[in-house]
Each structure stands twice: as structure tokens, then as C-alpha cells.
Amino acid sequence: MTAYDAIIIGTGQAGPALARRIAGVGMQVAVVERGRFGGTCINTGCTPTKTLVASAYAAHVARRGADYGFSAGDVKVDMKRVKARKDHVVGLANRGVERSLKTLESCRVFEAHARFVSPREVQVGGEVLTSDRIFINVGARATVPNIPGLDQVDYLTNSSMMDIDFLPRHLLVLGGSYIGLEFGQMYRRFGSEVSIVEAGPRLISREDEDVSAALADILAREGITVLPGAKCLRINKQGDDIVMTVDRGGISELRGSHLLIATGRRPNTDDLGLDHAGVKRDQRGYIVVDDELRTSVPGIWALGDCNGKGAFTHTSWNDYQIVAANLFDGESRRVSDRIPAYALYTDPPLGRAGMSEADVRKSGRPVLIARLAMEDVSRAFEKGETEGFMKILVDAETKEILGASFLGTSGDEAIHCVLDAMYAKAPYTLLRRAMHIHPTVAEFIPTMLDDLVPLPGSVAG
Ligand SMILES: Cc1cc2nc3c(=O)[nH]c(=O)nc-3n(C[C@H](O)[C@H](O)[C@H](O)COP(=O)(O)OP(=O)(O)OC[C@H]3O[C@@H](n4cnc5c(N)ncnc54)[C@H](O)[C@@H]3O)c2cc1C
């Protein structure tokens, strides 16, 4: 048995940074990784998808050449080269994480599966490691729904999509949420036929109805078949086709050449031996943590997707910052201090901060809203990318910004103006006086706040 000052299980977004921090104060740290260094974000999540989205965007703009005054001829996407570009970018990031850990003084890296055998001991291959401080950063994986026949077909997930170096003739996407929409739009732009099947009444059901509707419209105009309210009853193979039987008020069949399952994620906590350590999980398998990311067992923390407190790279990174600040800097940082924020990388992207319109309505407070169509934003107009809209929600009494949704070109960047004002707890009037740069999408944030009106359906409306 080998003793360490700390053990870190998983090298997602929190683990490597924490290892560097722990080793930096001279403690001996063991890092265990069973898969690829850098975890989901780098290998099968953000980095590859955003690299592929960039290729798809370039092809889309080339096809729109006539709108801009040029001709790129017949645009054909070479998927082998698209994949090679993606692999290059992913490889740099993946090797960077591996090298940084393997060359870190006071750090020993184990490439194996880790499993708890007691609250202080972790089995790693043939060895047992022991420590008083164990940090779990094991992430999540694609959920595969229990649909009759699914186990009889070769389906794809976000992980196996990374190996595709050909153009699927017709990609069926099961799941109309963030991952499904990003893949769906990118493959349409690569040249596939795409159908998105969503059981719920609308796409991205966590977003406001106007956001869902606008995005469904944008995707449909690109030639994607969007099927909300479609319950998949059965899947089977007929010749080269994958056939989905769906119920949309009547039974029909949908045929495609490939099937992507994008119906959610589940935490990698089922094969971690958590019962041997006494670490509690909730009903969905997420590790139960307090506001400082301590599990039910003293000396064990859980960070990143596996704790159910966030499902993003930035939430996992923020978890690292919270744990490191509390352990090493004498601070008292908490998960509840952070403001929900994320982006959906369709084109145009959706940038989100804080509460949605539906959330604020439910909260029962008086709310004001400002809304601006991207058609009225000069930068969007100049770029020829006028789809979408921006909206900001303000508490009518405190004047603090409660949330914002920016569906539009640069929405993923511009949202940070609002996010930072929210962190500063500044009244919206402060943002209204800021002089922003012309021409940018962000320049319209101060001016749109001149046009706040009561939100219909809220106390103020
Ligand atoms: C297609 C897709 C696109 C995404 N796009 C975005 C985006 O644009 N922006 C964003 O913020 N987020 C995005 N996400 C989410 C983001 O990737 C994750 O939230 C983030 O990677 C979570 O990281 P993590 O630190 O929790 O762990 P992970 O990155 O999941 O890493 C966990 C690591 O632990 C290892 N591991 C698991 N169990 C064990 C074990 N028992 N022993 C040893 N090692 C183990 C795994 O091999 C893995 O390397 C996307 C996700 C997907 C799937």
C-alpha cells in the first residue's frame, strides 16, 4: 500500500488543475486516469465539437458566397480532412494535459481504473493507494435509452461520432437538446440529410419557448427535419437503413443511414466502489456534495459533472477553484455563489446567463424585460447574420439583472457583459451608462436597456 497526501481520480477539467495546485505546495499527489487525458471536454466534448462546428461554419459561409460577392464553386466537404483537423486540435490539448501531469514534480500518474476499497483506500490496477484527501473527478457519459431494438443496431454517441471520417447519408438524431442540435446542424452543413427527433413538445426544453421556436425555425430553414413531440417506439435495421418507428399522434416511420443518440448524460459513478467508501449518491447516481463540494465522507470531495452541480467545463473548472481556494487560500467559496451560465454552439449561438423568462415568472417578483431582434443590430446586419434576438430580464424593484438569453451572432461572447454586471450585483442603470464599442453586438446592450417594459405575466406586467 502506498500513501499519498492526495489522490485524484479522473483528469477532466478539475483534476489536472487541482493536481498542479496540490503538487505546487509540495504535497505528494497520485493522479489516476482510465481513459484519455483531459476527459470529455478535450477528447469527446467541447474541443472536438467546436472544432467541427468551425469547419461546418466555413462550409456554410462558402455556400453563401453569393450573398457576400464571391463564388466558391460547388462546396464539397472532405470528411477525412475535417476529422484530421479535429484530431490535430484534440491531440494538442490531450497531449498537453498528459505531459503537464507526467512532468509534474511530486505527482505520480497511474493509467488504470480506480475503485474505492475503503474510505481511505483506492484500488488502482494491482496496487492500493491510500490518502486522507481523495478528489473524485470522474465525469459522465452518454445515456442510452431503453428503446426496443436499439441494442440490435450500430448507434453512435458523442464519443463514437469522433471517429467518423465519412459523410452519413442521413443522420437521425435522437434527442433535440444541446448536443443533438450541435451535431445536427454541423452534419447538415457538411452535407448530410438530418432529422432530429425529440420526445418533448419542443427543442431545448430548458430554454424559453421563444428561444426554442426561433432555433427550430433556423434549423428547419437549413433543411433539417425537426420533429418535436415524437416518441421513438422502436428501432430496427432494414437493409442499409436504420428505421425509427415514432408516435407523433399517429405512428410513422423515419429512415436514416446512421443514428446518433443524444438523450442526456449519466455520471461515471456506478463502477467506482463508492459503497465501500460510504459515499452517498442520489437517485440518478450523482455524488451528493455540500456547497463546498465535500461528499458525505470527510476527506472525500467530488468535482465536475459527477456531482450534478453543473454539466459544463466551466462549472468543473469553477469546482476546482472553489476546492483549491477553500483548502489552500483560507477562503470560503461556495457553489451557490455562482450564476448559471452557458452557451449552445449552434450558428447563431445561444449565450445564457442567470434566470430564464419562465424562471422569473415562477419566482413571482416584478420583472422588466428588454428585447431586441438581431436584425436591428448593425454588426449582425453588416455580417449578414441577422437571425435571432437578445433579451434581458431585470428585477423591477432592485434593478438588478436577473438573466439574459442572447440568440444571435457573437451571443456566446456578448453575454459576458451581462454576466459580469450580475456578478457585480450592479443595477442595470450602470450598464446603461457604459460606452460600448461600435460596431459590436455588445454595443446594443446599454441602449436596449433604455427600452425596458414590464414582463407580461409577471407581477410588474
Ligand atoms: C458533445 C459534448 C459537447 C460539449 N460541449 C461543451 C461546451 O461547449 N462547453 C462546456 O462548457 N461544456 C461542454 N460539454 C460538457 C463538458 O465536456 C463536461 O461538462 C466537462 O468535460 C466535465 O468535465 P469533468 O471534469 O466533470 O470530467 P470529464 O471531462 O468527464 O473527465 C472525467 C475523467 O475521469 C476518468 N474516469 C472516470 N472514471 C474513472 C475511474 N473509475 N478511474 C479512473 N479514471 C476515471 C474518465 O476517463 C475521464 O477522463 C460538452 C459535452 C459533450 C458530451
mmCIF file of all heavy atoms in Angstrom, residues 9-14 32-36 38-41 44-46 49-50 112-114 137-140 158 179 182-183 265 268 272 303-306 311-314 316 345, ligand 1:
data_model
loop_
_atom_site.group_PDB
_atom_site.id
_atom_site.type_symbol
_atom_site.label_atom_id
_atom_site.label_comp_id
_atom_site.label_asym_id
_atom_site.label_seq_id
_atom_site.Cartn_x
_atom_site.Cartn_y
_atom_site.Cartn_z
ATOM 1 N N ILE A 9 -8.948 11.158 -8.767
ATOM 2 C CA ILE A 9 -9.454 10.144 -9.701
ATOM 3 C C ILE A 9 -10.101 10.856 -10.875
ATOM 4 O O ILE A 9 -11.122 11.534 -10.724
ATOM 5 C CB ILE A 9 -10.482 9.216 -9.019
ATOM 6 C CG1 ILE A 9 -9.879 8.607 -7.751
ATOM 7 C CG2 ILE A 9 -10.924 8.118 -9.986
ATOM 8 C CD1 ILE A 9 -10.867 7.776 -6.933
ATOM 9 N N GLY A 10 -9.503 10.720 -12.056
ATOM 10 C CA GLY A 10 -10.035 11.359 -13.266
ATOM 11 C C GLY A 10 -9.275 12.625 -13.614
ATOM 12 O O GLY A 10 -8.887 13.393 -12.723
ATOM 13 N N THR A 11 -9.043 12.797 -14.916
ATOM 14 C CA THR A 11 -8.320 14.004 -15.364
ATOM 15 C C THR A 11 -9.215 14.846 -16.261
ATOM 16 O O THR A 11 -8.865 15.197 -17.378
ATOM 17 C CB THR A 11 -7.027 13.647 -16.121
ATOM 18 O OG1 THR A 11 -7.379 12.945 -17.330
ATOM 19 C CG2 THR A 11 -6.092 12.798 -15.294
ATOM 20 N N GLY A 12 -10.423 15.147 -15.783
ATOM 21 C CA GLY A 12 -11.323 16.034 -16.520
ATOM 22 C C GLY A 12 -10.844 17.464 -16.390
ATOM 23 O O GLY A 12 -9.640 17.741 -16.485
ATOM 24 N N GLN A 13 -11.772 18.366 -16.154
ATOM 25 C CA GLN A 13 -11.397 19.782 -16.094
ATOM 26 C C GLN A 13 -10.881 20.197 -14.716
ATOM 27 O O GLN A 13 -10.111 21.140 -14.612
ATOM 28 C CB GLN A 13 -12.607 20.633 -16.467
ATOM 29 C CG GLN A 13 -12.864 20.614 -17.940
ATOM 30 C CD GLN A 13 -11.642 21.040 -18.729
ATOM 31 O OE1 GLN A 13 -11.155 22.147 -18.563
ATOM 32 N NE2 GLN A 13 -11.115 20.161 -19.570
ATOM 33 N N ALA A 14 -11.307 19.511 -13.660
ATOM 34 C CA ALA A 14 -10.906 19.922 -12.319
ATOM 35 C C ALA A 14 -9.621 19.213 -11.871
ATOM 36 O O ALA A 14 -8.748 19.826 -11.232
ATOM 37 C CB ALA A 14 -12.032 19.620 -11.331
ATOM 38 N N VAL A 32 -5.091 9.386 -11.129
ATOM 39 C CA VAL A 32 -5.467 8.136 -11.791
ATOM 40 C C VAL A 32 -6.392 8.452 -12.972
ATOM 41 O O VAL A 32 -7.396 9.151 -12.812
ATOM 42 C CB VAL A 32 -6.217 7.186 -10.822
ATOM 43 C CG1 VAL A 32 -6.331 5.791 -11.442
ATOM 44 C CG2 VAL A 32 -5.528 7.131 -9.465
ATOM 45 N N GLU A 33 -6.054 7.936 -14.156
ATOM 46 C CA GLU A 33 -6.890 8.144 -15.344
ATOM 47 C C GLU A 33 -7.028 6.811 -16.074
ATOM 48 O O GLU A 33 -6.032 6.189 -16.432
ATOM 49 C CB GLU A 33 -6.267 9.208 -16.255
ATOM 50 C CG GLU A 33 -6.973 9.385 -17.596
ATOM 51 C CD GLU A 33 -8.461 9.679 -17.479
ATOM 52 O OE1 GLU A 33 -8.816 10.701 -16.889
ATOM 53 O OE2 GLU A 33 -9.280 8.853 -17.972
ATOM 54 N N ARG A 34 -8.280 6.421 -16.334
ATOM 55 C CA ARG A 34 -8.507 5.130 -17.002
ATOM 56 C C ARG A 34 -8.662 5.276 -18.513
ATOM 57 O O ARG A 34 -8.620 4.312 -19.250
ATOM 58 C CB ARG A 34 -9.745 4.445 -16.444
ATOM 59 C CG ARG A 34 -11.030 5.113 -16.853
ATOM 60 C CD ARG A 34 -12.239 4.334 -16.394
ATOM 61 N NE ARG A 34 -13.464 5.009 -16.781
ATOM 62 C CZ ARG A 34 -14.663 4.692 -16.338
ATOM 63 N NH1 ARG A 34 -14.794 3.708 -15.483
ATOM 64 N NH2 ARG A 34 -15.724 5.336 -16.738
ATOM 65 N N GLY A 35 -8.899 6.499 -18.955
ATOM 66 C CA GLY A 35 -9.150 6.712 -20.384
ATOM 67 C C GLY A 35 -8.146 7.683 -20.968
ATOM 68 O O GLY A 35 -6.937 7.534 -20.789
ATOM 69 N N ARG A 36 -8.669 8.701 -21.655
ATOM 70 C CA ARG A 36 -7.781 9.663 -22.313
ATOM 71 C C ARG A 36 -7.593 10.893 -21.433
ATOM 72 O O ARG A 36 -8.556 11.398 -20.834
ATOM 73 C CB ARG A 36 -8.374 10.055 -23.660
ATOM 74 C CG ARG A 36 -8.503 8.850 -24.583
ATOM 75 C CD ARG A 36 -8.834 9.260 -25.982
ATOM 76 N NE ARG A 36 -7.736 10.050 -26.555
ATOM 77 C CZ ARG A 36 -7.830 10.747 -27.681
ATOM 78 N NH1 ARG A 36 -8.958 10.773 -28.331
ATOM 79 N NH2 ARG A 36 -6.799 11.416 -28.142
ATOM 80 N N GLY A 38 -7.452 14.444 -20.051
ATOM 81 C CA GLY A 38 -8.244 15.633 -20.400
ATOM 82 C C GLY A 38 -9.737 15.365 -20.422
ATOM 83 O O GLY A 38 -10.533 16.299 -20.519
ATOM 84 N N GLY A 39 -10.125 14.076 -20.370
ATOM 85 C CA GLY A 39 -11.537 13.724 -20.211
ATOM 86 C C GLY A 39 -12.430 14.146 -21.373
ATOM 87 O O GLY A 39 -11.993 14.267 -22.520
ATOM 88 N N THR A 40 -13.687 14.375 -21.053
ATOM 89 C CA THR A 40 -14.729 14.620 -22.058
ATOM 90 C C THR A 40 -14.472 15.888 -22.866
ATOM 91 O O THR A 40 -14.515 15.873 -24.097
ATOM 92 C CB THR A 40 -16.097 14.751 -21.360
ATOM 93 O OG1 THR A 40 -16.285 13.636 -20.503
ATOM 94 C CG2 THR A 40 -17.233 14.808 -22.369
ATOM 95 N N CYS A 41 -14.247 16.999 -22.184
ATOM 96 C CA CYS A 41 -14.146 18.294 -22.869
ATOM 97 C C CYS A 41 -13.144 18.214 -24.009
ATOM 98 O O CYS A 41 -13.447 18.553 -25.148
ATOM 99 C CB CYS A 41 -13.744 19.377 -21.864
ATOM 100 S SG CYS A 41 -13.347 20.936 -22.644
ATOM 101 N N THR A 44 -13.933 14.251 -26.348
ATOM 102 C CA THR A 44 -15.204 13.902 -26.998
ATOM 103 C C THR A 44 -16.296 14.954 -26.767
ATOM 104 O O THR A 44 -17.456 14.706 -27.046
ATOM 105 C CB THR A 44 -15.733 12.536 -26.485
ATOM 106 O OG1 THR A 44 -15.889 12.633 -25.053
ATOM 107 C CG2 THR A 44 -14.794 11.405 -26.820
ATOM 108 N N GLY A 45 -15.920 16.107 -26.212
ATOM 109 C CA GLY A 45 -16.925 17.120 -25.885
ATOM 110 C C GLY A 45 -16.639 18.443 -26.564
ATOM 111 O O GLY A 45 -16.641 18.549 -27.791
ATOM 112 N N CYS A 46 -16.332 19.454 -25.749
ATOM 113 C CA CYS A 46 -16.230 20.831 -26.256
ATOM 114 C C CYS A 46 -15.201 20.985 -27.375
ATOM 115 O O CYS A 46 -15.530 21.526 -28.438
ATOM 116 C CB CYS A 46 -15.830 21.791 -25.135
ATOM 117 S SG CYS A 46 -16.316 21.311 -23.489
ATOM 118 N N THR A 49 -16.073 19.171 -30.740
ATOM 119 C CA THR A 49 -17.318 19.649 -31.367
ATOM 120 C C THR A 49 -17.163 21.086 -31.852
ATOM 121 O O THR A 49 -17.619 21.425 -32.946
ATOM 122 C CB THR A 49 -18.556 19.519 -30.449
ATOM 123 O OG1 THR A 49 -18.280 20.138 -29.196
ATOM 124 C CG2 THR A 49 -18.946 18.079 -30.223
ATOM 125 N N LYS A 50 -16.491 21.916 -31.066
ATOM 126 C CA LYS A 50 -16.343 23.304 -31.512
ATOM 127 C C LYS A 50 -15.370 23.399 -32.686
ATOM 128 O O LYS A 50 -15.488 24.295 -33.541
ATOM 129 C CB LYS A 50 -15.913 24.203 -30.363
ATOM 130 C CG LYS A 50 -17.093 24.783 -29.625
ATOM 131 C CD LYS A 50 -17.764 23.857 -28.633
ATOM 132 C CE LYS A 50 -19.091 23.318 -28.994
ATOM 133 N NZ LYS A 50 -19.693 22.485 -27.929
ATOM 134 N N ALA A 112 -5.033 3.675 -15.157
ATOM 135 C CA ALA A 112 -5.806 2.490 -14.759
ATOM 136 C C ALA A 112 -7.160 2.937 -14.232
ATOM 137 O O ALA A 112 -7.390 4.126 -14.009
ATOM 138 C CB ALA A 112 -5.050 1.735 -13.680
ATOM 139 N N HIS A 113 -8.017 1.947 -14.027
ATOM 140 C CA HIS A 113 -9.322 2.221 -13.418
ATOM 141 C C HIS A 113 -9.150 2.304 -11.896
ATOM 142 O O HIS A 113 -8.444 1.482 -11.306
ATOM 143 C CB HIS A 113 -10.285 1.076 -13.771
ATOM 144 C CG HIS A 113 -11.643 1.245 -13.198
ATOM 145 N ND1 HIS A 113 -12.637 1.926 -13.853
ATOM 146 C CD2 HIS A 113 -12.169 0.838 -12.013
ATOM 147 C CE1 HIS A 113 -13.720 1.924 -13.102
ATOM 148 N NE2 HIS A 113 -13.463 1.273 -11.979
ATOM 149 N N ALA A 114 -9.773 3.284 -11.280
ATOM 150 C CA ALA A 114 -9.690 3.429 -9.818
ATOM 151 C C ALA A 114 -11.007 3.008 -9.183
ATOM 152 O O ALA A 114 -12.075 3.279 -9.729
ATOM 153 C CB ALA A 114 -9.401 4.881 -9.470
ATOM 154 N N ASN A 137 -13.140 13.123 -9.788
ATOM 155 C CA ASN A 137 -13.428 13.977 -10.962
ATOM 156 C C ASN A 137 -13.663 13.062 -12.167
ATOM 157 O O ASN A 137 -12.985 13.145 -13.175
ATOM 158 C CB ASN A 137 -12.243 14.938 -11.196
ATOM 159 C CG ASN A 137 -12.417 15.843 -12.398
ATOM 160 O OD1 ASN A 137 -11.467 16.146 -13.124
ATOM 161 N ND2 ASN A 137 -13.631 16.308 -12.651
ATOM 162 N N VAL A 138 -14.668 12.159 -11.994
ATOM 163 C CA VAL A 138 -14.823 11.063 -12.964
ATOM 164 C C VAL A 138 -15.773 11.364 -14.121
ATOM 165 O O VAL A 138 -15.928 10.544 -15.028
ATOM 166 C CB VAL A 138 -15.269 9.754 -12.270
ATOM 167 C CG1 VAL A 138 -14.169 9.209 -11.375
ATOM 168 C CG2 VAL A 138 -16.563 9.976 -11.485
ATOM 169 N N GLY A 139 -16.447 12.507 -14.101
ATOM 170 C CA GLY A 139 -17.240 12.914 -15.262
ATOM 171 C C GLY A 139 -18.492 12.079 -15.500
ATOM 172 O O GLY A 139 -19.043 11.435 -14.602
ATOM 173 N N ALA A 140 -18.930 12.109 -16.756
ATOM 174 C CA ALA A 140 -20.186 11.462 -17.141
ATOM 175 C C ALA A 140 -20.052 10.876 -18.538
ATOM 176 O O ALA A 140 -19.059 11.101 -19.230
ATOM 177 C CB ALA A 140 -21.315 12.497 -17.106
ATOM 178 N N ASN A 158 -21.835 10.726 -28.617
ATOM 179 C CA ASN A 158 -20.871 11.813 -28.823
ATOM 180 C C ASN A 158 -19.443 11.273 -28.896
ATOM 181 O O ASN A 158 -18.593 11.850 -29.572
ATOM 182 C CB ASN A 158 -20.984 12.857 -27.705
ATOM 183 C CG ASN A 158 -20.512 12.336 -26.356
ATOM 184 O OD1 ASN A 158 -21.176 11.499 -25.744
ATOM 185 N ND2 ASN A 158 -19.370 12.799 -25.898
ATOM 186 N N ILE A 179 -26.571 18.830 -27.254
ATOM 187 C CA ILE A 179 -25.626 18.005 -28.019
ATOM 188 C C ILE A 179 -26.231 17.624 -29.376
ATOM 189 O O ILE A 179 -25.577 17.718 -30.414
ATOM 190 C CB ILE A 179 -25.214 16.760 -27.197
ATOM 191 C CG1 ILE A 179 -24.361 17.210 -25.995
ATOM 192 C CG2 ILE A 179 -24.464 15.738 -28.048
ATOM 193 C CD1 ILE A 179 -23.988 16.115 -25.022
ATOM 194 N N GLU A 182 -26.206 20.650 -31.845
ATOM 195 C CA GLU A 182 -24.876 20.997 -32.377
ATOM 196 C C GLU A 182 -24.459 20.001 -33.465
ATOM 197 O O GLU A 182 -24.033 20.392 -34.554
ATOM 198 C CB GLU A 182 -23.831 21.029 -31.248
ATOM 199 C CG GLU A 182 -23.989 22.238 -30.334
ATOM 200 C CD GLU A 182 -22.915 22.377 -29.265
ATOM 201 O OE1 GLU A 182 -21.919 21.616 -29.267
ATOM 202 O OE2 GLU A 182 -23.067 23.254 -28.412
ATOM 203 N N PHE A 183 -24.597 18.717 -33.160
ATOM 204 C CA PHE A 183 -24.217 17.703 -34.166
ATOM 205 C C PHE A 183 -25.132 17.795 -35.389
ATOM 206 O O PHE A 183 -24.690 17.670 -36.525
ATOM 207 C CB PHE A 183 -24.288 16.296 -33.587
ATOM 208 C CG PHE A 183 -23.039 15.879 -32.847
ATOM 209 C CD1 PHE A 183 -23.070 15.652 -31.486
ATOM 210 C CD2 PHE A 183 -21.833 15.701 -33.517
ATOM 211 C CE1 PHE A 183 -21.917 15.258 -30.794
ATOM 212 C CE2 PHE A 183 -20.683 15.305 -32.846
ATOM 213 C CZ PHE A 183 -20.720 15.084 -31.480
ATOM 214 N N ARG A 265 -26.928 12.636 -20.272
ATOM 215 C CA ARG A 265 -25.665 12.125 -19.742
ATOM 216 C C ARG A 265 -25.918 11.485 -18.386
ATOM 217 O O ARG A 265 -26.860 11.854 -17.685
ATOM 218 C CB ARG A 265 -24.650 13.260 -19.573
ATOM 219 C CG ARG A 265 -24.544 14.193 -20.761
ATOM 220 C CD ARG A 265 -23.467 13.843 -21.738
ATOM 221 N NE ARG A 265 -22.148 13.775 -21.202
ATOM 222 C CZ ARG A 265 -21.162 13.045 -21.767
ATOM 223 N NH1 ARG A 265 -21.405 12.328 -22.862
ATOM 224 N NH2 ARG A 265 -19.960 13.021 -21.256
ATOM 225 N N ASN A 268 -20.311 8.838 -14.158
ATOM 226 C CA ASN A 268 -19.478 7.614 -14.116
ATOM 227 C C ASN A 268 -19.232 7.194 -12.666
ATOM 228 O O ASN A 268 -18.083 7.124 -12.214
ATOM 229 C CB ASN A 268 -18.132 7.882 -14.801
ATOM 230 C CG ASN A 268 -18.271 8.105 -16.284
ATOM 231 O OD1 ASN A 268 -19.100 7.478 -16.936
ATOM 232 N ND2 ASN A 268 -17.464 9.002 -16.826
ATOM 233 N N LEU A 272 -17.239 2.744 -9.317
ATOM 234 C CA LEU A 272 -16.191 3.436 -8.562
ATOM 235 C C LEU A 272 -16.044 2.885 -7.141
ATOM 236 O O LEU A 272 -15.209 3.359 -6.374
ATOM 237 C CB LEU A 272 -16.566 4.938 -8.525
ATOM 238 C CG LEU A 272 -15.546 5.990 -8.233
ATOM 239 C CD1 LEU A 272 -14.315 5.856 -9.115
ATOM 240 C CD2 LEU A 272 -16.173 7.379 -8.422
ATOM 241 N N LEU A 303 -15.892 16.626 -7.757
ATOM 242 C CA LEU A 303 -15.856 17.819 -8.605
ATOM 243 C C LEU A 303 -16.293 17.483 -10.032
ATOM 244 O O LEU A 303 -16.063 16.373 -10.513
ATOM 245 C CB LEU A 303 -14.431 18.396 -8.658
ATOM 246 C CG LEU A 303 -13.766 18.793 -7.331
ATOM 247 C CD1 LEU A 303 -13.054 17.589 -6.713
ATOM 248 C CD2 LEU A 303 -12.745 19.895 -7.547
ATOM 249 N N GLY A 304 -16.878 18.465 -10.711
ATOM 250 C CA GLY A 304 -17.249 18.288 -12.123
ATOM 251 C C GLY A 304 -18.597 17.619 -12.288
ATOM 252 O O GLY A 304 -19.421 17.565 -11.369
ATOM 253 N N ASP A 305 -18.816 17.091 -13.482
ATOM 254 C CA ASP A 305 -20.133 16.556 -13.850
ATOM 255 C C ASP A 305 -20.662 15.511 -12.869
ATOM 256 O O ASP A 305 -21.873 15.348 -12.741
ATOM 257 C CB ASP A 305 -20.069 15.901 -15.236
ATOM 258 C CG ASP A 305 -19.997 16.923 -16.367
ATOM 259 O OD1 ASP A 305 -19.809 18.126 -16.076
ATOM 260 O OD2 ASP A 305 -20.117 16.518 -17.541
ATOM 261 N N CYS A 306 -19.773 14.773 -12.205
ATOM 262 C CA CYS A 306 -20.225 13.655 -11.369
ATOM 263 C C CYS A 306 -20.967 14.112 -10.115
ATOM 264 O O CYS A 306 -21.598 13.303 -9.446
ATOM 265 C CB CYS A 306 -19.061 12.735 -11.005
ATOM 266 S SG CYS A 306 -17.850 13.485 -9.906
ATOM 267 N N ALA A 311 -22.885 20.835 -15.599
ATOM 268 C CA ALA A 311 -22.576 19.854 -16.643
ATOM 269 C C ALA A 311 -21.741 20.527 -17.724
ATOM 270 O O ALA A 311 -21.919 20.283 -18.904
ATOM 271 C CB ALA A 311 -23.867 19.296 -17.224
ATOM 272 N N PHE A 312 -20.842 21.390 -17.264
ATOM 273 C CA PHE A 312 -20.042 22.164 -18.208
ATOM 274 C C PHE A 312 -18.584 22.156 -17.785
ATOM 275 O O PHE A 312 -18.258 21.947 -16.619
ATOM 276 C CB PHE A 312 -20.535 23.620 -18.264
ATOM 277 C CG PHE A 312 -21.960 23.729 -18.692
ATOM 278 C CD1 PHE A 312 -22.966 23.908 -17.755
ATOM 279 C CD2 PHE A 312 -22.299 23.612 -20.032
ATOM 280 C CE1 PHE A 312 -24.289 23.981 -18.138
ATOM 281 C CE2 PHE A 312 -23.622 23.689 -20.433
ATOM 282 C CZ PHE A 312 -24.614 23.869 -19.488
ATOM 283 N N THR A 313 -17.747 22.455 -18.774
ATOM 284 C CA THR A 313 -16.327 22.579 -18.486
ATOM 285 C C THR A 313 -16.086 23.706 -17.483
ATOM 286 O O THR A 313 -15.305 23.552 -16.542
ATOM 287 C CB THR A 313 -15.580 22.826 -19.811
ATOM 288 O OG1 THR A 313 -15.544 21.569 -20.490
ATOM 289 C CG2 THR A 313 -14.186 23.344 -19.597
ATOM 290 N N HIS A 314 -16.776 24.817 -17.671
ATOM 291 C CA HIS A 314 -16.525 25.940 -16.745
ATOM 292 C C HIS A 314 -17.058 25.662 -15.348
ATOM 293 O O HIS A 314 -16.517 26.200 -14.383
ATOM 294 C CB HIS A 314 -17.075 27.265 -17.305
ATOM 295 C CG HIS A 314 -18.446 27.163 -17.873
ATOM 296 N ND1 HIS A 314 -18.697 26.766 -19.150
ATOM 297 C CD2 HIS A 314 -19.664 27.400 -17.316
ATOM 298 C CE1 HIS A 314 -20.001 26.786 -19.380
ATOM 299 N NE2 HIS A 314 -20.617 27.156 -18.274
ATOM 300 N N SER A 316 -16.979 22.648 -13.942
ATOM 301 C CA SER A 316 -15.968 21.758 -13.366
ATOM 302 C C SER A 316 -14.727 22.559 -12.963
ATOM 303 O O SER A 316 -14.161 22.365 -11.880
ATOM 304 C CB SER A 316 -15.593 20.661 -14.375
ATOM 305 O OG SER A 316 -14.649 19.786 -13.821
ATOM 306 N N TYR A 345 -23.649 25.978 -29.010
ATOM 307 C CA TYR A 345 -22.838 26.395 -30.160
ATOM 308 C C TYR A 345 -23.446 26.006 -31.503
ATOM 309 O O TYR A 345 -22.774 25.472 -32.370
ATOM 310 C CB TYR A 345 -21.405 25.877 -30.002
ATOM 311 C CG TYR A 345 -20.726 26.586 -28.862
ATOM 312 C CD1 TYR A 345 -20.816 26.093 -27.572
ATOM 313 C CD2 TYR A 345 -20.063 27.779 -29.070
ATOM 314 C CE1 TYR A 345 -20.250 26.775 -26.506
ATOM 315 C CE2 TYR A 345 -19.490 28.464 -28.021
ATOM 316 C CZ TYR A 345 -19.589 27.957 -26.739
ATOM 317 O OH TYR A 345 -19.030 28.648 -25.697
HETATM 318 C C1 LIG B 1 -20.619 16.583 -27.205
HETATM 319 C C2 LIG B 1 -20.373 17.444 -26.000
HETATM 320 C C3 LIG B 1 -20.135 18.789 -26.161
HETATM 321 C C4 LIG B 1 -19.895 19.595 -25.064
HETATM 322 N N1 LIG B 1 -19.685 20.937 -25.246
HETATM 323 C C5 LIG B 1 -19.462 21.731 -24.186
HETATM 324 C C6 LIG B 1 -19.189 23.116 -24.351
HETATM 325 O O1 LIG B 1 -19.159 23.621 -25.471
HETATM 326 N N2 LIG B 1 -18.945 23.869 -23.252
HETATM 327 C C7 LIG B 1 -18.961 23.324 -21.998
HETATM 328 O O2 LIG B 1 -18.735 24.042 -21.035
HETATM 329 N N3 LIG B 1 -19.212 22.014 -21.810
HETATM 330 C C8 LIG B 1 -19.458 21.206 -22.863
HETATM 331 N N4 LIG B 1 -19.675 19.875 -22.671
HETATM 332 C C9 LIG B 1 -19.650 19.339 -21.296
HETATM 333 C C10 LIG B 1 -18.201 19.183 -20.829
HETATM 334 O O3 LIG B 1 -17.478 18.422 -21.765
HETATM 335 C C11 LIG B 1 -18.173 18.499 -19.477
HETATM 336 O O4 LIG B 1 -19.029 19.204 -18.617
HETATM 337 C C12 LIG B 1 -16.790 18.521 -18.886
HETATM 338 O O5 LIG B 1 -15.873 17.847 -19.715
HETATM 339 C C13 LIG B 1 -16.850 17.846 -17.496
HETATM 340 O O6 LIG B 1 -15.620 17.518 -17.087
HETATM 341 P P1 LIG B 1 -15.376 16.739 -15.748
HETATM 342 O O7 LIG B 1 -14.264 17.498 -15.116
HETATM 343 O O8 LIG B 1 -16.568 16.547 -14.935
HETATM 344 O O9 LIG B 1 -14.918 15.278 -16.180
HETATM 345 P P2 LIG B 1 -14.591 14.539 -17.613
HETATM 346 O O10 LIG B 1 -14.026 15.550 -18.505
HETATM 347 O O11 LIG B 1 -15.776 13.837 -17.983
HETATM 348 O O12 LIG B 1 -13.429 13.602 -17.172
HETATM 349 C C14 LIG B 1 -13.574 12.528 -16.323
HETATM 350 C C15 LIG B 1 -12.369 11.624 -16.476
HETATM 351 O O13 LIG B 1 -12.404 10.636 -15.459
HETATM 352 C C16 LIG B 1 -11.963 9.402 -15.991
HETATM 353 N N5 LIG B 1 -12.532 8.343 -15.150
HETATM 354 C C17 LIG B 1 -13.843 8.031 -14.975
HETATM 355 N N6 LIG B 1 -13.986 7.036 -14.085
HETATM 356 C C18 LIG B 1 -12.730 6.696 -13.700
HETATM 357 C C19 LIG B 1 -12.212 5.718 -12.810
HETATM 358 N N7 LIG B 1 -13.029 4.938 -12.093
HETATM 359 N N8 LIG B 1 -10.869 5.614 -12.673
HETATM 360 C C20 LIG B 1 -10.052 6.433 -13.379
HETATM 361 N N9 LIG B 1 -10.479 7.387 -14.217
HETATM 362 C C21 LIG B 1 -11.799 7.516 -14.374
HETATM 363 C C22 LIG B 1 -12.513 9.416 -17.408
HETATM 364 O O14 LIG B 1 -11.767 8.551 -18.236
HETATM 365 C C23 LIG B 1 -12.340 10.875 -17.797
HETATM 366 O O15 LIG B 1 -11.106 11.103 -18.437
HETATM 367 C C24 LIG B 1 -19.891 19.034 -23.749
HETATM 368 C C25 LIG B 1 -20.095 17.662 -23.583
HETATM 369 C C26 LIG B 1 -20.340 16.870 -24.691
HETATM 370 C C27 LIG B 1 -20.559 15.406 -24.476
#
